[in-house]
Amino acid sequence: MAIEWRNNFATNDPHIDEQHQQIFRFANKLEALADQENVDPREVDSVLRFLENYIKNHFRYEEACMLKRHCPVAQRNRSEHLAFKAFLTRSMVAYHNDGYQQPWAKELHQKLENWLSNHICRIDVQLRDYPDPKA
Ligand SMILES: [Fe+2]
């Protein structure tokens, strides 16, 4: 089931909300790939490169926002990001060692989708109460 944007994911920061939506689009691409029996390795590589780069840049941006606005969950946000990046690194090592495996792709997608919806709804949305003073 593709993950769809809902209002309860909104942080009310247009940049962060757009970045989350972009990550959702790639999570859905990963799901579509994981459902296929024969995948194009170039497509897998490009989705994975996105995941690593885009998510890391997004985390950095969001962490800076929380610090700047004195959001009380800033530290918790950062440590959950660190844990997720560590998971992502382990998952990429497995991919590089073993090559593409469909169960691996399904597991990565499931973890990504679960982590995103849980983390955004619990942590990121707390930015709503600490809007950008310059916005
Ligand atoms: Fe976050």
Side-chain angles (χ1 to χ4, degrees):
M1 271 282 282
I3 185 166
E4 292 199 33
W5 182 258
R6 301 188 304 266
N7 271 340
N8 59 334
F9 290 127
T11 66
N12 296 342
D13 178 297
H15 300 293
I16 291 176
D17 287 345
E18 171 51 35
Q19 289 165 12
H20 284 156
Q21 286 172 39
Q22 181 69 348
I23 296 170
F24 281 19
R25 286 194 275 275
F26 273 81
N28 291 335
K29 268 192 197 178
L30 178 64
E31 181 179 31
L33 283 173
D35 282 341
Q36 290 171 27
E37 290 300 327
N38 295 305
V39 294
D40 180 347
R42 284 167 307 182
E43 229 183 311
V44 175
D45 285 346
S46 95
V47 170
L48 294 180
R49 243 197 319 274
F50 163 83
L51 274 178
E52 284 196 297
N53 293 330
Y54 195 94
I55 285 186
K56 281 176 190 171
N57 288 333
H58 161 67
F59 283 172
R60 201 176 307 128
Y61 180 86
E62 194 187 77
E63 287 167 19
C65 274
M66 284 205 180
L67 283 178
K68 208 164 58 192
R69 302 192 210 163
H70 307 289
C71 188
V73 294
Q75 281 315 319
R76 199 149 30 116
N77 187 40
R78 193 174 136 71
S79 59
E80 290 197 11
H81 288 176
L82 275 173
F84 189 75
K85 281 192 286 190
F87 158 78
L88 211 53
T89 302
R90 285 195 303 276
S91 188
M92 292 307 148
V93 169
Y95 171 70
H96 289 301
N97 288 343
D98 307 337
Y100 181 81
Q101 312 270 348
Q102 195 176 29
W104 168 86
K106 285 185 183 288
E107 194 188 310
L108 175 62
H109 163 258
Q110 204 51 62
K111 168 91 181 184
L112 176 65
E113 196 175 288
N114 293 344
W115 187 85
L116 282 173
S117 48
N118 178 285
H119 174 84
I120 294 173
C121 294
R122 214 168 20 83
I123 303 289
D124 297 345
V125 296
Q126 298 204 37
L127 272 171
R128 281 180 203 158
D129 298 329
Y130 301 86
D132 186 351
K134 287 188 298 248

